[in-house]
Amino acid sequence: MRSVDKRTKIVAIDGGIAMNNPTAAAITHVLNNKQEFPLCNGVEDLLVVSLGNGESDFGYQNQNSTPARFVRIAGEGASDMVDQAVSMAFGHCRTSNYVRIQANGIIAKKHGIVDKSMKSNKKADLLAMAEEMLAQKNVESVLFEGKKIVESTNFDKLETFTGELIKEQERRKTSILPTVLLKQNSTSPRTSSATTLSTLSSY
């Protein structure tokens, strides 16, 4: 990747390698950015929906291990650790202010939907897989006790959060204070820490 002014360049990889679950990064950005989010004082002021892309189907009976599968397992492990850490950060309001939607690959595999979608990218197949994922029971992280399957489905969780978002939108219509303060437009191109480091090292 090259900078806008073509003076610097960096080598970049897909964000999933370094940040398979960006939820924690997004939350800390908002909590520590008082310039843009002056009214956010803690996690109780946040509503967070974390959408996963589905867990793999690497069951204990699958003996065909490859380097690519180990990388996938490592990524899913890191993603689950972020989910657990975020749940602990939300504490008592984790079930009302934070939800993680992650499809269980083993369940989807059992119904043959994952295999079908991998062979074809037809819209109907993708919709069928999405409906199956939404119908699965939601999995919540429990403080210091790992995870548990709850009675609510992924669809139920999303529906509940949708209602909360609608209430928040109505509340903001009557508020005289801006929820987010937008930055002023800058004439200079935006630089990242990597770009800045690359520029400094070139001198």
Side-chain angles (χ1 to χ4, degrees):
M1 297 176 59
R2 292 184 179 273
S3 61
V4 176
D5 58 9
K6 308 298 183 182
R7 295 176 57 189
T8 59
K9 64 180 180 178
I10 60 174
V11 177
I13 58 175
D14 180 78
I17 301 297
M19 194 180 294
N20 202 37
N21 185 347
T23 307
I27 291 173
T28 53
H29 171 76
V30 173
L31 292 179
N32 292 285
N33 189 353
K34 295 302 181 182
Q35 180 180 356
E36 294 181 86
F37 305 96
L39 300 182
C40 184
N41 298 314
V43 293
E44 63 276 0
D45 296 323
L46 299 175
L47 284 176
V48 178
V49 177
S50 176
L51 301 177
N53 59 1
E55 291 186 345
S56 61
D57 58 344
F58 304 145
Y60 68 93
Q61 295 179 340
N62 194 332
Q63 303 297 326
N64 186 19
S65 298
T66 63
R69 289 190 172 185
F70 281 118
V71 171
R72 178 70 183 270
I73 292 172
E76 289 179 1
S79 180
D80 286 343
M81 289 301 296
V82 170
D83 174 41
Q84 182 70 18
V86 170
S87 294
M88 294 181 68
F90 272 86
H92 67 279
C93 61
R94 69 185 185 279
T95 58
S96 59
N97 293 47
Y98 169 71
V99 63
R100 170 72 171 168
I101 304 297
Q102 178 68 292
N104 188 319
I106 297 176
I107 295 178
K109 173 93 173 179
K110 180 180 178 182
H111 292 277
I113 294 180
V114 170
D115 285 342
K116 186 178 181 182
S117 64
M118 291 179 67
K119 294 178 181 178
S120 173
N121 288 327
K122 291 181 179 180
K123 184 178 180 180
D125 293 338
L126 295 176
L127 289 176
M129 185 171 63
E131 290 177 357
E132 177 70 15
M133 291 178 177
L134 289 173
Q136 291 178 7
K137 298 291 186 181
N138 185 255
V139 179
E140 290 183 353
S141 292
V142 183
L143 296 183
F144 310 111
E145 295 183 11
K147 298 178 179 293
K148 71 173 182 179
I149 299 177
V150 298
E151 289 301 318
S152 301
T153 64
N154 289 330
F155 178 82
D156 294 334
K157 285 283 187 177
L158 288 177
E159 191 174 42
T160 300
F161 263 64
T162 300
E164 293 299 322
L165 289 175
I166 293 175
K167 292 179 183 178
E168 177 63 18
Q169 184 181 32
E170 293 299 321
R171 185 190 68 80
R172 292 183 182 185
K173 289 180 180 179
T174 60
S175 175
I176 61 175
L177 298 175
T179 306
V180 178
L181 299 180
L182 300 179
K183 290 182 178 179
Q184 298 297 323
N185 291 332
S186 175
T187 56
S188 60
R190 182 176 181 179
T191 58
S192 67
S193 57
T195 304
T196 303
L197 180 62
S198 177
T199 303
L200 292 176
S201 63
S202 63
Y203 291 115

